[in-house]
Amino acid sequence: GTPVDPQAVGAYPVPASQISVRRVVPLTVQVDDEPPRNLETTRDTVGEALYDAGISVYVADTVSVDLNSSVYPGMAITIQRARPVSVLADGQTVRVRAQGEVIADALAEAGIALVGLDYTIPSLNTRLIPGMSIRVIRVREDFETQTVTIPYETVYQADPALELDQVRVMQNGVEGVETTRIRVRYENDIAISREVESVEVTTAMQN
């Protein structure tokens, strides 16, 4: 039950009552588009064989066979590497390994959702490149109102019923109010644009 180098069997300190010989099993491993590698292993499972060969497998990687599968001669193993990317969103940088083809897949892998007018740099349908950096731009829109006073005028009219040089007020003046509604666009909480939505006289001016 103990692994021993064949050359050391003669000097083994404990007499062996049973010796078993495990023959090497030839395997082929292909990682992404790299040339296939021919391996020989005496291990029982695919995971152990890959570990001995120094081939790391990450959680997001896709392996054509289960890592706990038993090896057999001529077995072909294909590994599709997840792409390591960095996602900057909400003031934090998240490093993930994404298995998909485009940036949208990387966001899904990182659990980052776009809401409303949010967008990414580069765009969502950009092909993933290992090591690339992705920025998530959070977008929101608010409305501001601005009011300005409309001054009234004093209008004089002749009145034959009044004596000469006499004045009376027929109607008091009232200032008007003009309200402007402005749409403000914020990206990552920074105002980047203002657009006038409407201009309305909310209080009529009276001379």
Side-chain angles (χ1 to χ4, degrees), residues 102-152:
V102 295
I103 283 178
D105 300 320
L107 294 185
E109 196 75 36
I112 298 174
L114 298 185
V115 181
L117 300 173
D118 295 349
Y119 67 95
T120 61
I121 301 175
S123 60
L124 286 175
N125 57 357
T126 302
R127 187 175 180 83
L128 281 177
I129 300 173
M132 77 185 306
S133 180
I134 303 166
R135 288 173 54 201
V136 174
I137 309 299
R138 299 296 188 190
V139 180
R140 62 182 175 88
E141 291 185 337
D142 285 336
F143 289 94
E144 294 179 357
T145 56
Q146 295 179 354
T147 59
V148 294
T149 300
I150 305 173
Y152 62 82

Side-chain angles (χ1 to χ4, degrees), residues 55-68:
I55 300 175
S56 301
V57 178
Y58 299 94
V59 174
D61 292 346
T62 299
V63 185
S64 59
V65 295
D66 190 281
L67 293 177
N68 293 319

